[in-house]
Amino acid sequence: MRAHRAITLAASVVGAVVVALDGTVLTVAQPTLQRDLHASLTQVQWTSTGYLVAVSILLVFAGRLGDRHGHRRMFALGKLGFGTASAGIAVAPDIGWVIGLRALQGAFGALLQPATLGMLRAAYPPERLDMPIALRTGAIALAAAAGPLVGGALVAPFGWRAVFFLNVAPALVMGVLVGCARAPEQRPSSRPSLDLLGAALLATALMCLVYALTAGADSGRPVMSAPALLAAAVAGLMFVRHERRTTGPLLPPDVLGRPGTSPALALLVAASAAMVGAMFVSSYVLQDELGLDPLRTALRALPGPVAMVLAAPTAAVLMRRCGPRRTAGTAAALLGVGVLLLSRLSHALPALWAGMGFLLVGAGFGTVMVTATAVVVREASVTSAGVAGGLQQTALNIGPTVGVAVAGTLMTCTNATSGPTLVALACVSLLGVPPALRLPGRSETAVGAGEGSPAAG
């Protein structure tokens, strides 16, 4: 059992790291990619937007596939596909191929991301999930911090294609190892049904929402995204109506019906929106207003990822001592304070205070991510762990899109400077405090963990 858990934890961490590294490395490579392929700025933006849309619309359904067919199987398929798509992008002849293969890569990424959490939930009893989730979160933060540095080191001598070759070997090797492993996996006595109509309605709602947010941010004209927002609302209402009537819903009651799940998802959306939006605006200020180059910008912001790495295991300890409610509520408030400090970024602000702002943002977000993820995953039954993981990943995809959309809209449509924009993002972070206060307390967590432990744990 210990060897099985070690393999599962390693696979979950490596799977999450490869996906996180892919996104952060690409941001550094995009200018070179644009020049080499003679692409427009809009086409280059779609190398990220196409991936984001594909991931967002498939995460929950992919999690349900894992509940039905096994998370190890979905992880292996996702890893092999992710690595193969990366190799295809690395040899793509033009920007059209890059955009199409990035969307395909996103589809495979959607298969493996919920599986990384589903495998942990199946391998560990609820009361022992905090530290594995913390290690996974810390590894993601480390990859996010290393991404720009790795990207710069690869792109300068080898070109943009090198950042995609970077993914191929780890993804293929891990996919083969997990796929060939004969480790025990807890399976439900009966396979969960596949709610194809519900999956289609949810995918439509999410696709319209993500498109509306990204289109509004890219164009700086929110009115352009109004039809897509309306379509997202209509599809969302149809999805809710369908889920209430069907006998085999995509989102079973034992997931969203738990008292802590919905607040935890809302907290993840608010916190990730504030964090990514703040980093987006801060990067703009440091480079365009203060004149720092990309490397010095990454070094100035480095306290954020470092604090996130350190906050992850600390959050696991705090949850045991104080409970998710107090831990997440305090962390959401600290995140807001950190964003407020960054709103003072200027030549007059000492580097120490700027570093303190990034430090609080990283520590607050890292703690929120571990705490909210633990609540979502461990409160779900083993048979619905994939759906729970898909919902958690969906929240972490929608939140950053909202944050960048808010920042872009304020700065382009209202002519707001970076200071007021960051103040608005701090308010977005504080919107996460009320849901955080609805999370389970220490005593409720202990009782719930004891009741939810699988017999095999």
Side-chain angles (χ1 to χ4, degrees), residues 62-422:
R64 198 56 167 167
L65 287 175
D67 293 332
R68 180 180 172 90
H69 299 292
H71 298 298
R72 283 193 304 106
R73 185 176 298 176
M74 291 301 106
F75 179 89
L77 179 61
K79 266 297 179 194
L80 292 172
F82 195 90
T84 303
S86 295
I89 296 170
V91 297
D94 57 48
I95 190 64
W97 277 98
V98 173
I99 294 172
L101 288 170
R102 277 287 287 171
L104 181 63
Q105 190 183 44
F108 284 112
L111 284 179
L112 71 91
Q113 288 186 52
T116 63
L117 291 171
M119 291 191 302
L120 290 180
R121 176 63 183 89
Y124 291 86
E127 68 273 12
R128 297 184 61 183
L129 265 175
D130 296 349
M131 194 54 71
I133 289 175
L135 292 174
R136 178 181 177 275
T137 302
I140 291 173
L142 190 61
L149 302 178
V150 173
L154 287 174
V155 172
F158 304 115
W160 65 269
R161 298 179 188 273
V163 304
F164 291 102
F165 278 124
L166 178 68
N167 296 325
V168 176
L172 295 181
V173 170
M174 185 57 68
V176 170
L177 289 177
V178 173
C180 295
R182 290 293 179 263
E185 184 171 21
Q186 190 168 353
R187 295 287 184 86
S189 56
S190 60
R191 287 186 173 185
S193 60
L194 287 181
D195 180 12
L196 296 179
L197 178 57
L201 289 172
L202 180 61
T204 301
L206 290 172
M207 178 175 63
C208 293
L209 176 61
V210 171
Y211 175 78
L213 293 171
T214 54
D218 291 342
S219 66
R221 298 170 62 189
V223 69
M224 297 292 291
S225 61
L229 283 176
L230 179 61
V234 171
L237 290 174
M238 292 175 65
F239 171 72
V240 172
R241 183 171 181 268
H242 169 76
E243 290 293 286
R244 289 177 175 176
R245 294 187 172 190
T246 186
T247 56
L250 178 66
L251 302 180
D254 68 332
V255 178
L256 286 181
R258 297 276 183 167
T261 302
S262 295
L265 293 172
L267 173 60
L268 283 172
V269 171
S272 59
M275 189 276 291
V276 175
M279 298 304 291
F280 171 79
V281 177
S282 298
S283 297
Y284 168 82
V285 173
L286 291 172
Q287 293 188 51
D288 289 5
E289 294 185 16
L290 302 187
L292 302 184
D293 59 33
L295 179 59
R296 291 174 64 194
T297 298
L299 292 175
R300 181 71 64 88
L302 192 59
V306 170
M308 188 174 168
V309 172
L310 298 177
T314 305
V317 175
L318 289 175
M319 272 194 293
R320 294 176 185 173
R321 294 183 178 180
C322 307
R325 181 184 302 155
R326 292 172 60 187
T327 302
T330 304
L334 287 177
L335 173 58
V337 172
V339 178
L340 280 177
L341 281 176
L342 293 180
S343 70
R344 307 299 298 171
L345 273 178
S346 66
H347 289 286
L349 184 69
L352 178 62
W353 284 103
M356 182 62 68
F358 286 116
L359 185 75
L360 290 177
V361 168
F365 180 72
T367 304
V368 164
M369 186 173 173
V370 171
T371 307
T373 300
V375 170
V376 171
V377 175
R378 74 183 178 192
E379 288 203 355
S381 66
V382 174
T383 57
S384 299
V387 170
L391 285 171
Q392 185 265 359
Q393 293 290 323
T394 300
L396 288 177
N397 276 272
I398 297 298
T401 310
V402 171
V404 173
V406 168
T409 300
L410 287 175
M411 295 183 72
T412 57
C413 297
T414 66
N415 294 321
T417 60
S418 57
T421 300
L422 286 166

